[in-house]
Amino acid sequence: MRSVGAKLIVGLAASLAGVLLWLGAANLSVLRQNLETTTVLAAQRMADVIFRSTRDSMLHNDRVEQVHIIQSIGAQPGVRKVRVIAKTGTIQVSSAPGEIGQMVDKQADACYGCHSSATPLEKPAAQHTFRIYRRGGDRVIGLMRPIHNEPACSSAACHAHPPSQRVLGVLDVVLSLERVDEALAAHERRMRAQLLFSAALLITLGSLLVWLLVSRPVRGLIAGVNRLASGNLAYRFGLRRRDEIGALAGAFDHMAGELEAANRTLEERIERKTRELEAAQEKLIHTERLASLGELAAAVAHEINNPLAGISTYARLLGKSAALSGPALEWARTIQRESRRCGQIAGNLLAFARKQNTEMAPAEVKTIVDRTLAVVRHRFETQPVEVVCEIPELPELHCDASQVQQVLTAIVVNALDALSAREPGGSGLRISAGLAPGGRLDIAITNNGPPIPSAVLPRIFEPFFSTKQEASGVGLGLAVAYGIVKRHGGEIQVETGPETTFHVLLPVAAAGVEPNEEEHVHDPGEVLHSDR
């Protein structure tokens, strides 16, 4: 039996059965005592009636009348025997004529109370005047009424007794308890039926109460806990009870709320870590791709440098030759110009592949920014752009100033190219610097040109990737800037939207450290939105 409700019902039924049986037994005992007391009182009244009826005949020693009265009374229903017994134990008068003159057994149930000692009791106590015993299978009650020596009897001439003889004999009345037993049996039957009905009613009501107050709420709690265990943390019991079950349901609701909050926090953390892992994976892939491109670029630049040098030298010699004129001279000059351009591209590839020497020295940020603006000043003359420069007093950078200037120049030139796509007027370029967390210095270049498309952003630092017209560049500016910043142990971050900002993060007062090839300065996961 595993159900708490079933155990409570069985316990309740057993308790009710015990209590009802005890109450029934007590009720029967009280009823039996009451009926027997009533019978004793009736017997005492009957004995008084018999005594008063036979008193005159006794005084006149009229045995015939005594026998007639006693036999008449003995013939009444429920009367088993009526007799007068002398003090000597001789039966003087009896409703059963056959026993007149016989001696009674003083040790019998009816006589033992007064004759238990050597001297018979002359005035026995009330509890000694009657006895309930069985006679012939029936229960009977025997009543002994002493016949005292009255003055009228001791002075009578017929059978005078001396005044010293206080008791002349006893009047023995034996009554049947059959009616009493029948009443008790009928009452017991009614009581059993009432007990069974009461027990069934109480057990039914108790079972209903146990079901409503215990079993059903407990089953609801079990079902709710199973739903919580299955992962439905949004489930709530919502019991509005102020007892222990309500408190338990409230505790489960509180626990479910905490679990739901913890699960939500865990899911958020997992989602955040997943994004970080995806960003790290993209970063690693991007770094490996750039590293591979860098090795390829270095190999290509190294292999084409010597042929380009020969082509450029012979083109220059042809240009100086007097034998060339007209279109042939122009062709030679074109070969010379394009070979020089190819040489510049090869130089940029070597810069991207970090084959250039880096000369580290302390440098002021403001000085580097001023030189950068001086290099692109001619662009400001042809393109109306409002330039704002906000460079406070900052610690010096330990860097290759010319290479950092090259980085800033590439970013500013890209910003000016983006501003050229705006409507005339309102174009703005802002260069600011400040300290960033981690002991780094942040040089921010912001323009209000069109945002960088999200599809373009992951590739803006790849070599030969460009959104410009073919004649405007070959897509090595930001790639070279990426290599330089990476070589300085720094990082480039891009934020885009209404304004696009390139953050060049460089360590403050730190010697240039060649970072590992796996390091990556651009994390697309850190870019809010991007463009070119």
Side-chain angles (χ1 to χ4, degrees):
M1 185 181 297
R2 300 182 179 179
S3 173
V4 175
K7 292 179 180 178
L8 287 175
I9 292 173
V10 171
L12 180 62
S15 301
L16 286 175
V19 171
L20 291 176
L21 287 175
W22 178 81
L23 289 176
N27 189 0
L28 282 176
S29 177
V30 171
L31 180 62
R32 180 178 289 109
Q33 291 177 1
N34 291 337
L35 290 176
E36 290 176 352
T37 301
T38 302
T39 304
V40 170
L41 293 176
Q44 289 175 346
R45 286 195 297 269
M46 180 176 289
D48 288 338
V49 170
I50 295 173
F51 176 76
R52 294 182 186 279
S53 300
T54 59
R55 181 174 179 275
D56 291 339
S57 60
M58 288 181 183
L59 289 176
H60 295 92
N61 196 21
D62 189 352
R63 291 292 182 91
V64 176
E65 185 178 359
Q66 290 180 25
V67 171
H68 178 72
I69 293 173
I70 289 177
Q71 288 181 349
S72 297
I73 294 174
Q76 298 298 317
V79 180
R80 288 288 184 268
K81 186 183 295 185
V82 179
R83 56 187 177 175
V84 177
I85 304 172
K87 186 175 183 181
T88 59
T90 304
I91 300 174
Q92 300 291 327
V93 182
S94 175
S95 59
E99 63 178 5
I100 296 176
Q102 296 180 2
M103 294 290 293
V104 298
D105 184 7
K106 296 180 180 180
Q107 299 301 317
D109 292 338
C111 304
Y112 183 76
C114 296
H115 295 273
S116 59
S117 60
T119 303
L121 296 177
E122 294 184 352
K123 193 175 182 179
Q127 64 269 22
H128 293 153
T129 61
F130 69 91
R131 286 289 184 272
I132 296 176
Y133 58 95
R134 288 194 171 275
R135 183 180 179 183
D138 295 332
R139 284 198 325 135
V140 295
I141 180 170
L143 180 66
M144 294 291 186
R145 187 191 187 286
I147 301 174
H148 295 94
N149 189 11
E150 298 181 3
C153 187
S154 61
S155 60
C158 59
H159 56 289
H161 299 284
S164 59
Q165 187 176 353
R166 301 183 59 183
V167 177
L168 302 179
V170 294
L171 176 63
D172 181 18
V173 180
V174 180
L175 301 178
S176 174
L177 293 178
E178 183 179 359
R179 298 281 183 87
V180 174
D181 291 340
E182 289 177 355
L184 285 174
H187 181 75
E188 185 175 1
R189 288 192 297 270
R190 289 193 301 270
M191 187 190 67
R192 286 176 180 173
Q194 292 174 356
L195 288 178
L196 290 175
F197 176 77
S198 300
L201 180 61
L202 290 176
I203 291 174
T204 302
L205 293 177
S207 302
L208 182 61
L209 289 176
V210 170
W211 168 257
L212 292 176
L213 299 179
V214 179
S215 296
R216 188 172 68 174
V218 169
R219 290 188 179 184
L221 289 177
I222 294 174
V225 171
N226 289 333
R227 293 182 65 176
L228 291 175
S230 65
N232 185 11
L233 299 179
Y235 176 78
R236 297 293 182 272
F237 294 98
L239 290 181
R240 298 295 183 265
R241 295 176 53 163
R242 297 184 179 180
D243 54 7
E244 290 81 357
I245 293 180
L248 182 60
F252 274 121
D253 287 343
H254 179 70
M255 179 188 68
E258 291 186 347
L259 287 176
E260 186 178 15
N263 185 63
R264 189 183 305 112
T265 302
L266 181 61
E267 290 178 351
E268 292 175 355
R269 290 180 178 177
I270 292 175
E271 185 178 356
R272 184 171 64 252
K273 291 298 182 182
T274 301
R275 290 196 301 267
E276 292 177 358
L277 288 175
E278 291 176 351
Q281 184 180 15
E282 293 179 1
K283 183 177 181 179
L284 180 61
I285 294 173
H286 189 66
T287 300
E288 292 177 352
R289 183 168 63 248
L290 292 181
S292 300
L293 289 174
E295 294 296 330
L296 177 62
V300 171
H302 178 73
E303 293 297 329
I304 67 175
N305 258 339
N306 292 332
L308 285 175
I311 293 172
S312 178
T313 299
Y314 285 109
R316 188 167 56 252
L317 292 176
L318 284 175
K320 292 179 179 181
S321 173
L324 293 178
S325 62
L329 180 60
E330 185 62 27
W331 294 342
R333 291 174 179 175
T334 299
I335 294 172
Q336 183 180 355
R337 183 172 63 252
E338 292 302 320
S339 61
R340 185 166 54 249
R341 182 168 175 266
C342 289
Q344 292 175 353
I345 293 174
N348 287 331
L349 287 175
L350 290 174
F352 170 73
R354 301 187 298 178
K355 299 301 182 181
Q356 295 178 330
N357 293 327
T358 301
E359 298 179 359
M360 309 297 288
E364 292 284 346
V365 176
K366 191 174 187 310
T367 302
I368 298 175
V369 172
D370 290 341
R371 291 176 180 175
T372 301
L373 294 177
V375 170
V376 296
R377 191 175 303 278
H378 66 283
R379 292 287 301 269
F380 298 145
E381 295 175 355
T382 60
Q383 185 176 351
V385 176
E386 181 182 356
V387 180
V388 177
C389 188
E390 301 172 348
I391 310 296
E393 291 293 330
L394 294 170
E396 291 183 336
L397 288 174
H398 196 73
C399 63
D400 188 325
S402 62
Q403 292 187 10
V404 174
Q405 177 183 338
Q406 183 178 356
V407 171
L408 300 182
T409 300
I411 296 174
V412 169
V413 169
N414 274 274
L416 293 175
D417 292 338
L419 291 173
S420 64
R422 281 180 56 91
E423 297 292 333
S427 298
L429 180 68
R430 183 174 69 255
I431 303 177
S432 60
L435 292 176
R440 299 187 297 181
L441 192 143
D442 180 11
I443 305 174
I445 302 174
T446 304
N447 70 85
N448 58 356
I452 303 175
S454 57
V456 172
L457 177 61
R459 304 186 59 191
I460 59 176
F461 294 106
E462 294 180 4
F464 304 111
F465 177 80
S466 177
T467 58
K468 304 175 185 178
Q469 298 295 329
E470 185 176 354
S472 302
V474 292
L476 284 173
L478 291 180
V480 172
Y482 165 84
I484 293 173
V485 172
K486 183 177 180 182
R487 182 163 57 253
H488 281 74
E491 184 178 358
I492 298 180
Q493 296 179 357
V494 184
E495 297 175 356
T496 191
E499 293 184 337
T500 299
T501 302
F502 280 75
H503 295 273
V504 180
L505 301 170
L506 296 171
V508 175
V513 179
E514 289 290 337
N516 295 331
E517 192 64 31
E518 289 77 14
E519 293 181 356
H520 179 30
V521 297
H522 170 242
D523 183 359
E526 298 171 347
V527 180
L528 301 180
H529 188 214
S530 55
D531 172 44
R532 52 201 171 278

